[in-house]
Amino acid sequence: MVNAPTSAKQPPSWWRDAGGVTLYQIYPSSFKDDNGDGLGDLRGIINKLDYIKSLGVDGIWLCPHYKSPRVDEGYDISDYNGIHEPFGTLEDCLELIEAVHARGMKILFDLVINHCSDQHEWFKESRSSKTNPKRDWFYWKPPRMIDGVRHPPNNWRSCFGGSVWEWDEHTQEYYLHYFCPEQPDFNWENPEVRRALFDSAILFWLDRGVDGFRIDTVNMYSKHLEFPDAPVVAPDTPWQPAGQFFSNGPRLREFLREMRKEAFSKYDCFTIGECPNTPSLEKILSYISTDSEALDCTIQFCVVDLDHQGGKYPLMRTDWKLSEFKRLTAFMQQLADPEHKAHALTYLENHDQARCVSRFASDAPEHRLASSKMLATHLLTLSGSLIIYEGQEIGMINAPKDWDIDQEYLDVNTINTWKEIKADAEATNDPSLLERGRAGIQLTARDHSRTPMQWDSSEHAGFSKDLKPGAKPWYRVMESYAEGLNVAAQDGDAKSTLNFYRSMMRLRKAHADVFVTGRFKLHDPQGEETVVYTKAAQDGSRTALVALNFTANKQPFTVPAELEGKEGSLLVSTLAKDGANRELEAYEARVYLY
């Protein structure tokens, strides 16, 4: 089960030789409950591998399944080598790896090593005393005293609200946590920490056949050790957004190169680094170009952050323009240009994002099918590697607006943000803040992607069958499963979103020179109704024209001048209209091949 070693400079063959791969992301809690306890599990995933294979994807990315108190749904790991008990056992996990490989697919795990759980033995030792050998495995600071009053070392707001510093009564110091207080950040300055993480979290799993990692918050390892106060942009709170200090610290590239040399390079391993707060192409390339010898590609947030603002209320919705969506898409597609010696990766949904149909198109019943196919066309015609998130392939949508946020929404970020909004609305007697906050959560909260996968029209959407006495699905199942948004209903429907994803995956592979490795060129960048771009094979032999309508009204589109007069064939039309008509129906997508 151990892969053959490769040198540090040799690019991993299994993904790069194809020009890119498509991964199916699985959120274990919500994918499939096999044992009737209301929680998804590894056995449920194993039993659905043939379904995943049928999509035409190249592999899966499995969200954290490690032992964890699950304060942040598994991103607070208490044992990198153990399995969260409700999910199964280590033997189940090894069987999953083997079963994925038996179907000709690859499997990536989530690598979460910026922080761990406060229940991890390493942190328990660290907080036991100031003289413990593992004290400096984490960041500890004395209080800042102002007029005799104890304050945290700086004013940074954590990603989930409140201070990034948590007071420890036992040792009378603060420890650093960029996320929940239960997620203390590792001190990567300590070489013992790095070695322990390489051995425990990376090599342990590569030795057991894992093919790569999606690496959580990879650009937060190197801290700005001076920990300066952030500029005050929210004067009504002591905690200020500090994204510019959270990411891309001075030693990051050094740490990433060491991690590649000491761990990743020993295997044919694909690495996807999550890099928030990194808008610079030069900075991205410093991590993922082949010359950098660090990461293979990156998850960016620029497109998926368009509809909500950062700052004090990170889920508050904001208006966005399609021209900006296009600009950012073109920006990220630059990474696929051969001259950059890098690799592009694109996604529209994941476990941290709400459903793309609800956010970027329309989830109105009359437009759901067209919207889901239009967005699928966009995603599956972009160059490089792609991620499809569970349920995206059947067009799952956001939770209904009549769901009670206090009762039905379970994500820690949603809970904390909603609490702040309610408190501030009451303190300022501003009911409009409450309504804007509610609308933002209904559009952008992470909860929308974490509701159970919708398998069929039976009770609980087929996610849980034969529930044990007293058990129920851990998240409320969305009622849309009864409206055709389920796998069984779509499987035999040739016109369904599910079968459209399957056909587009076949098309993508059949024309890989255009869709996987082709050159992206955006046309009409300022238009706010349609997205039009071309994908040209590197040898110039063929070009695809992609035209997408992002509105509920008919829209004209223009064929680029360089293609006028050339004979093109209609390869895809989501509404099966006449390809000669230069007017797109509501949320229609077309692809022509020249």
Side-chain angles (χ1 to χ4, degrees), residues 554-574:
K554 292 182 179 181
Q555 299 292 344
F557 72 97
T558 302
V559 173
E562 62 262 36
L563 295 179
E564 280 288 4
K566 295 185 177 181
E567 185 175 347
S569 59
L570 181 65
L571 201 60
V572 176
S573 174
T574 55

Side-chain angles (χ1 to χ4, degrees), residues 101-121:
H101 289 162
R103 288 163 174 80
M105 297 187 293
K106 303 292 186 179
I107 183 167
L108 277 68
F109 280 3
D110 228 308
L111 181 60
V112 188
I113 51 177
N114 172 72
H115 50 265
C116 65
S117 166
D118 63 352
Q119 298 305 304
H120 197 293
E121 290 302 322

Side-chain angles (χ1 to χ4, degrees), residues 3-17 211 257 260-261 263-271 288-296 341:
N3 296 340
T6 182
S7 71
K9 294 185 178 181
Q10 179 184 347
S13 59
W14 69 264
W15 63 274
R16 189 179 289 276
D17 287 354
D211 300 292
R257 287 168 65 94
R260 187 175 193 87
K261 178 182 178 182
F264 299 143
S265 67
K266 301 180 186 301
Y267 292 83
D268 192 1
C269 173
F270 186 26
T271 57
I288 70 169
S289 74
T290 53
D291 291 339
S292 73
E293 297 183 39
L295 303 169
D296 295 322
K341 296 188 287 185

Side-chain angles (χ1 to χ4, degrees), residues 424-438:
D424 290 351
E426 182 177 357
T428 59
N429 192 27
D430 182 5
S432 70
L433 174 60
L434 198 66
E435 290 312 305
R436 285 183 287 120
R438 188 189 311 278

Side-chain angles (χ1 to χ4, degrees), residues 144 358 393 405 425 459 462 467 555:
R144 179 167 58 173
S358 299
E393 77 275 17
I405 294 175
E459 189 178 16
L467 279 170
Q555 299 292 344

Side-chain angles (χ1 to χ4, degrees), residues 75-106:
Y75 286 89
D76 49 320
I77 297 169
S78 57
D79 181 357
Y80 288 101
N81 307 141
I83 306 300
H84 184 52
E85 290 182 1
F87 288 168
T89 64
L90 179 59
E91 289 70 25
D92 292 327
C93 187
L94 297 179
E95 182 182 341
L96 171 62
I97 295 170
E98 187 174 343
V100 170
H101 289 162
R103 288 163 174 80
M105 297 187 293
K106 303 292 186 179

